[in-house]
Amino acid sequence: MKMEVLVSAVEKEPAELISQMNISSDAVVVNQCDRYAYDALQTAGGSAKCFSMPERGVGLSRNTALLHASGDVVLFSDEDITLAPDYEAQIRQAYEALPDADMILFNVKVAPARRTYWNREIRRITYRNYGRYPAYSISAKLAALRRANAHYSLLFGGGAKYSNGEDSLFLRDCLKAGLRIYAHTACIGEEQERESTWFSGYHEKFFRDRGVLYHHLYGKLALPLSLRFLWAHKETMCREIPVGKAFLIMCAGVREGRGK
């Protein structure tokens, strides 16, 4: 089973990044910077194809990495992730134990304030529980992704028009395509703390972007689920903009997503 790490980075020196991330398998690094360039580098146990490009957008960079991927199993990752020394072995063992899995979502350590999930058991991922997983938790059989024509949205995420949600859309599309997705308890790395590339506060753009995302994720259920989202997080998110106003902003985002 050939492992390949697909890295999305901004303004990094590829050789230094590969070392910092502790990449020991094959890799594809897409570095968004001010130039076009290609470098073929060696990792501790494989080779890396490194593409530099001035175009911006995390969805674009992940799709570019997917386009050039050739591994049996790919792992999405980011420039601020340090992979565990045994990440290859852990991922390989997980796929051997779950032979019907098309995708497996692993644990990655993050600061408590940023944690959106932690897998405490091996279980199937369904429409009820897919929405909390970041890209750096996602691994997949490359053949399954290509069979499903899976790709990242260019509308959402860092460098795109709308601030985040691209990972949830990606997993939703994989579920719609019939891919079998599992959560696994293995921890394959740790996030190094840094300033968020997309989050700057619970302001009007945050709620409007979230409304657009909810239209794309939930369709006719976007409005009631927007209200549920705000009510569940009102103590954290609605200190400056009250729940009622935030809901109206999210409604405007839903209408924008509909093209109305």
Side-chain angles (χ1 to χ4, degrees):
M1 184 184 292
K2 179 184 174 184
M3 267 289 308
E4 195 166 33
V5 183
L6 309 184
V7 182
S8 179
V10 178
E11 299 288 355
K12 295 295 181 181
E13 202 289 311
E16 292 181 6
L17 182 63
I18 288 167
S19 176
Q20 290 168 5
M21 293 183 66
N22 199 32
I23 295 174
S24 57
S25 62
D26 288 347
V28 180
V29 178
V30 178
N31 181 38
Q32 297 175 67
C33 56
D34 60 355
R35 68 191 185 280
Y36 289 107
Y38 172 75
D39 297 292
L41 302 174
Q42 293 302 118
T43 70
S47 60
K49 296 170 282 191
C50 304
F51 300 87
S52 296
M53 51 190 280
E55 292 85 2
R56 291 297 195 262
V58 67
L60 177 62
S61 68
R62 297 206 195 283
N63 290 340
T64 302
L66 269 175
L67 176 67
H68 294 282
S70 59
D72 299 311
V73 171
V74 296
L75 172 69
F76 292 98
S77 199
D78 290 325
E79 63 186 52
D80 56 349
I81 302 298
T82 300
L83 294 167
D86 61 345
Y87 74 91
E88 288 183 84
Q90 291 198 77
I91 293 171
R92 186 174 294 111
Q93 290 165 10
Y95 278 96
E96 290 172 352
L98 298 167
D100 66 323
D102 294 308
M103 305 175 70
I104 301 179
L105 314 182
F106 292 96
N107 285 328
V108 174
K109 294 178 182 177
V110 302
R114 286 179 46 79
R115 182 180 293 174
T116 60
Y117 80 100
W118 188 260
N119 300 326
R120 300 188 182 279
E121 60 181 355
I122 297 172
R123 60 175 180 168
R124 280 289 292 270
I125 295 295
T126 69
Y127 287 102
R128 297 174 61 89
N129 59 7
Y130 74 90
R132 306 180 74 182
Y133 289 91
Y136 54 72
S137 72
I138 301 173
S139 72
K141 293 177 180 175
L142 182 59
L145 293 183
R146 289 185 170 161
R147 185 173 68 247
N149 193 28
H151 58 274
Y152 268 81
S153 170
L154 302 183
L155 273 178
F156 295 88
K161 182 175 181 179
Y162 302 112
S163 51
N164 78 317
E166 73 282 2
D167 304 326
S168 296
L169 285 165
F170 181 71
L171 290 172
R172 191 278 312 272
D173 290 347
C174 289
L175 286 169
K176 286 177 67 175
L179 299 191
R180 295 177 295 274
I181 309 176
Y182 285 85
H184 199 281
T185 56
C187 182
I188 60 167
E190 182 173 2
E191 181 188 54
Q192 305 305 313
E193 289 192 58
R194 63 170 182 170
E195 186 176 346
S196 174
T197 58
W198 68 268
F199 180 74
S200 57
Y202 299 111
H203 40 55
E204 185 168 337
K205 178 171 170 52
F206 172 87
F207 293 114
R208 192 177 188 94
D209 287 2
R210 185 56 60 115
V212 177
L213 173 65
Y214 270 38
H215 162 71
H216 286 274
L217 283 175
Y218 305 122
K220 293 180 180 179
L221 293 176
L223 293 181
L225 290 177
S226 294
L227 187 59
R228 187 184 76 168
F229 166 77
L230 291 169
W231 190 256
H233 299 284
K234 62 182 184 297
E235 298 299 329
T236 301
M237 297 182 178
C238 297
R239 294 175 180 174
E240 297 183 14
I241 298 179
V243 171
K245 183 177 179 181
F247 180 62
L248 291 177
I249 297 170
M250 284 191 70
C251 289
V254 171
R255 291 194 298 272
E256 182 175 335
R258 292 174 182 164
K260 297 180 179 179

